[in-house]
Amino acid sequence: KILNTIKFEQRMNYLVFPIIIVALLIYEEYVLSGLTFLLALGSIVYYRSMIHTLTRTNPSMSVLDYLESSHLVIRKFRSHYLTLGVVMFLAGFCISSSVVSDLFVGNFQNLPVTFARLLGLMALSIICVYGIFHLMYGQHIKQLSISIQGLKNG
């Protein structure tokens, strides 16, 4: 089931990234569209590599070894997902809003307020990205952990 969720998310990336890139090109944000293209390319390679790793089976591996290997891959994925998700969330908000405008126009009277907003935004982004990951993968990871524990105990 984890693999199906990952494949679904990969297909959504195929849909969403081109829309974002075209929208950025329409608004003449060429640098951002280029960065988004590179992010999309990296995402495609990463998802393909992860799917290949999760579907690769070694006949000499036991079920427990395979599940533990898969669990390790998914834990790495979780770490990458949360880190990149928070960075993308923050970048999207900063680009699309005036939260950091004081820093760019040289208006330093509101610097403490701007930093407070950025810290609040970072906290919100961590909560949102963690919540999204938990909704999509949390139950699957829990089931995998239970299966591993069951095989170790039984």
Side-chain angles (χ1 to χ4, degrees), residues 16-41 95:
V16 171
F17 274 121
I19 292 170
I20 293 171
I21 291 169
V22 169
L24 288 170
L25 288 172
I26 289 171
Y27 287 106
E28 298 179 358
E29 296 287 346
Y30 302 116
V31 173
L32 288 177
S33 65
L35 290 173
T36 305
F37 176 76
L38 291 175
L39 182 66
L41 199 59
I95 290 167

Side-chain angles (χ1 to χ4, degrees), residues 37-143:
F37 176 76
L38 291 175
L39 182 66
L41 199 59
S43 172
I44 290 168
V45 170
Y46 182 76
Y47 275 92
R48 283 187 181 189
S49 170
M50 186 174 45
I51 289 169
H52 175 72
T53 301
L54 288 173
T55 56
R56 180 184 54 196
T57 57
N58 185 348
S60 64
M61 289 178 82
S62 69
V63 173
L64 178 60
D65 290 339
Y66 174 74
L67 291 177
E68 286 178 332
S69 171
S70 297
H71 193 260
L72 180 64
V73 169
I74 292 166
R75 285 180 49 202
K76 287 180 185 177
F77 171 64
R78 177 181 180 243
S79 159
H80 297 153
Y81 191 97
L82 295 176
T83 302
L84 189 60
V86 169
V87 169
M88 287 174 49
F89 195 88
L90 284 172
F93 265 117
C94 290
I95 290 167
S96 66
S97 70
S98 62
V99 171
V100 293
S101 65
D102 291 338
L103 294 175
F104 293 118
V105 296
N107 183 2
F108 295 107
Q109 286 96 9
N110 292 332
L111 203 54
V113 173
T114 302
F115 281 127
R117 287 179 181 168
L118 284 173
L119 288 175
L121 187 59
M122 184 175 284
L124 178 66
S125 68
I126 290 169
I127 291 167
C128 288
V129 171
Y130 185 81
I132 290 169
F133 186 87
H134 182 70
L135 283 173
M136 291 177 64
Y137 298 102
Q139 196 64 23
H140 302 305
I141 293 172
K142 186 177 178 180
Q143 274 304 116

